[in-house]
Amino acid sequence: MSETSARVDASQNLLFKAGWVILLLSAGLMTLNHFGLMFVFDNPILFMGWGAFNLYSLFVVAIPLRRQEKWAWYATWILPVGLAAGGSTNPSIAILYYAVAAVCVLGLLLTMRGSLAIALLLLSLVLGGLPFGRPSVAHAAPPGAMQEVTIKGNEYAFDAPEQINAGWTRVTFQNTGKEEHQVNFARIKDGKTMADLQAAMQQNLDSALGLLDFYGGVSGIPGGTSGTVVLDLKEGQYVMICFLPAPDGTTHVEHGMIRPLAVVAPAAEAAAPQADDTVTLKDFSIALPGTIKAGEQTWQVVNSGPQIHEMALIKLAEGKTMQDVGAWMNAPSGPPPFAYAGGMAGLSQGIHGYMTVNLAPGNYVALCGVPDPASGKPHFMLGMVAPFTITGGAAAPTTLPTTGGSGATAALWLLLLGAGLAAAALLRRGASRAWRMTRTSETTGATIMVAPASLAAGWNSDRVTKATVAPS
């Protein structure tokens, strides 16, 4: 071998090792991530399925790919494909999963012969198309169409545009944190300023509420999920607020979960959506539709007042009752006997909005947690509670923690597909070797064409090693 070819082979081996390390780290970290999330979210089957898929990928990368077996390189492509498929199921994880998938593609390309330039070019194209660091924005709507706004919330802040248009607006709230969060759209009353609101909040919550008109929002939802409402936002200065309790006994707004928002004159008026049913809120009752079915539906929520009201939905845990809910709310201890299921956040008297719900079978409660100024008690303690039961077929999933069945099924299908590709490649390789051995054993002293155990120069499968068989 010449000095030049030796340098080339050394360069190729270095690139292969770099790509292999990238793939090993990616598969290993995603395996730990998914198995760890089994203990965080309520649906461990989903993450168990994805963990098994990543574990399979880790095995293929760690052993056969390290030996530079050609079938393993093809089988490893299931890793970025699976990650990209997982990212497409939920907007809150899409950027992370797409980024890891792109890094895996880089690793795979680095293990190819002479592919560094191609790898870097493709990676730059993939990463350049991802919205890294871009804030939530309001999507420009054609004339007469409804504008759409995406808001993200976590511990303890909102990621949202600074300005949107007035009028009917479809708001999607994504909880990217671990705790439950909500978003209330509250307009500062005419003649008052943000400074007045901040001064009032230093005194007490009731003083601050008196400076605001509430236009709705997405009520409490668990981490990793999203909710959608349609609101008619009047021009003015707003704040987005989360009032939910934090683990330390304070509220999220006390931790700084409040953000200003300017609502300006619209370019064109959009029409209100069509509602399947109407919910009426008043002091102190919630009038639900007469018949509530499973699945996705749109409710118009109207506050007849006179106080501010919300309609939060909670789903009771299996075997739990309203008595358990009441006991936990009076003295919170341990996990709650229910899960937040979204709803319509605070509405002032005479204001209405639309909420999209996707109800699976189970026992639910609609309630209002806004405090009564006179007694200080939350409205649900004054009778603003409405339990209901959903029976029949399962609702179509809309968020990550509720997609355990379909998500786990997709992960298992990917796992089976990868295992099938690996098995087929191994069988083909074994049959090919057996055929070569049979052909060469017919002639004493024949030359056997044997594939090398390690393709050190990359995936150059046409290179072979010659061995001579001695006469018996």
Side-chain angles (χ1 to χ4, degrees):
M1 179 183 294
S2 67
E3 182 180 350
T4 301
S5 63
R7 286 198 300 267
V8 171
D9 284 346
S11 173
Q12 293 300 325
N13 286 333
L14 181 61
L15 291 178
F16 175 86
K17 290 178 181 177
W20 180 77
V21 169
I22 289 173
L23 291 167
L24 186 70
L25 289 176
S26 300
L29 290 174
M30 293 308 291
T31 301
L32 293 175
N33 172 64
H34 284 122
F35 280 126
L37 291 176
M38 289 172 53
F39 306 99
V40 176
F41 291 108
D42 296 332
N43 203 332
I45 297 177
L46 167 66
F47 299 103
M48 186 183 299
W50 283 108
F53 162 71
N54 291 127
L55 190 61
Y56 158 78
S57 303
L58 179 62
F59 170 78
V60 173
V61 170
I63 301 177
L65 186 65
R66 182 65 183 91
R67 296 173 179 169
Q68 300 192 24
E69 298 180 19
K70 190 171 184 178
W71 71 268
W73 187 82
Y74 290 108
T76 304
W77 277 96
I78 202 72
L79 178 59
V81 171
L83 291 172
S88 66
T89 63
N90 189 277
S92 63
I93 64 172
I95 292 179
L96 171 63
Y97 278 50
Y98 291 158
V100 178
V103 170
C104 290
V105 171
L106 171 65
L108 280 162
L109 293 176
L110 284 174
T111 59
M112 294 177 63
R113 187 175 179 86
S115 60
L116 179 59
I118 299 175
L120 295 177
L121 173 62
L122 290 178
L123 182 67
S124 64
L125 291 175
V126 172
L127 296 183
L130 293 176
F132 287 115
R134 298 177 190 172
S136 298
V137 297
H139 300 287
M146 186 178 300
Q147 71 173 332
E148 298 187 5
V149 178
T150 299
I151 310 293
K152 298 177 183 178
N154 54 26
E155 291 76 45
Y156 295 99
F158 291 110
D159 177 9
E162 296 181 355
Q163 177 180 299
I164 62 175
N165 290 333
W168 286 108
T169 304
R170 179 172 285 103
V171 177
T172 298
F173 176 56
Q174 299 173 358
N175 183 352
T176 58
K178 294 182 178 180
E179 299 179 28
E180 291 82 6
H181 292 293
Q182 63 175 194
V183 57
N184 290 270
F185 287 80
R187 182 179 181 274
I188 300 175
K189 291 186 175 180
D190 294 334
K192 301 296 181 180
T193 65
M194 188 67 184
D196 296 329
L197 178 63
Q198 291 171 337
M201 293 184 68
Q202 296 298 322
Q203 301 175 14
N204 56 66
L205 182 60
D206 289 339
S207 299
L209 293 180
L211 302 181
L212 300 171
D213 289 323
F214 285 81
Y215 280 75
V218 178
S219 193
I221 54 175
T225 67
S226 62
T228 301
V229 294
V230 176
L231 310 175
D232 188 12
L233 300 176
K234 180 182 177 182
E235 184 180 357
Q237 180 62 50
Y238 285 71
V239 288
M240 295 170 287
I241 311 177
C242 180
F243 291 110
L244 292 184
D248 61 4
T250 62
T251 60
H252 291 181
V253 66
E254 292 178 85
H255 284 277
M257 201 164 181
I258 180 172
R259 180 185 173 101
L261 172 70
V263 177
V264 299
E269 283 291 334
Q274 295 293 318
D276 299 306
D277 277 300
T278 299
V279 176
T280 302
L281 312 176
K282 62 181 180 179
D283 301 2
F284 292 102
S285 66
I286 300 177
L288 294 173
T291 301
I292 303 178
K293 60 184 184 299
E296 187 171 284
Q297 52 210 282
T298 299
W299 293 351
Q300 181 187 38
V301 184
V302 180
N303 182 12
S304 297
Q307 293 191 31
I308 300 168
H309 293 300
E310 67 173 356
M311 191 193 72
L313 291 178
I314 60 174
K315 184 180 182 182
L316 302 185
E318 190 70 28
K320 299 300 182 180
T321 65
M322 273 301 300
Q323 287 71 26
D324 298 315
V325 175
W328 187 88
M329 287 187 170
N330 287 328
S333 178
F338 59 87
Y340 288 95
M344 178 64 72
L347 294 168
S348 293
Q349 182 180 14
I351 296 177
H352 69 282
Y354 297 82
M355 56 177 281
T356 300
V357 291
N358 193 17
L359 302 173
N363 296 315
Y364 293 81
V365 178
L367 55 85
C368 179
V370 177
D372 174 43
S375 64
K377 296 180 179 180
H379 290 172
F380 63 78
M381 294 186 67
L382 301 177
M384 208 164 176
V385 178
F388 63 96
T389 299
I390 298 294
T391 59
T398 57
T399 56
L400 180 61
T402 59
T403 57
S406 60
T409 301
L412 291 175
W413 273 113
L414 287 169
L415 181 63
L416 291 173
L417 176 61
L421 290 172
L426 283 174
L427 289 173
R428 181 179 181 276
R429 184 180 182 211
S432 178
R433 282 186 173 181
W435 178 81
R436 289 199 300 269
M437 294 297 292
T438 301
R439 287 287 305 274
T440 55
S441 64
E442 295 176 356
T443 306
T444 303
T447 299
I448 303 177
M449 306 298 289
V450 184
S454 175
L455 303 178
W459 306 106
N460 216 9
S461 57
D462 59 344
R463 291 186 60 194
V464 294
T465 301
K466 294 186 178 181
T468 301
V469 178
S472 57

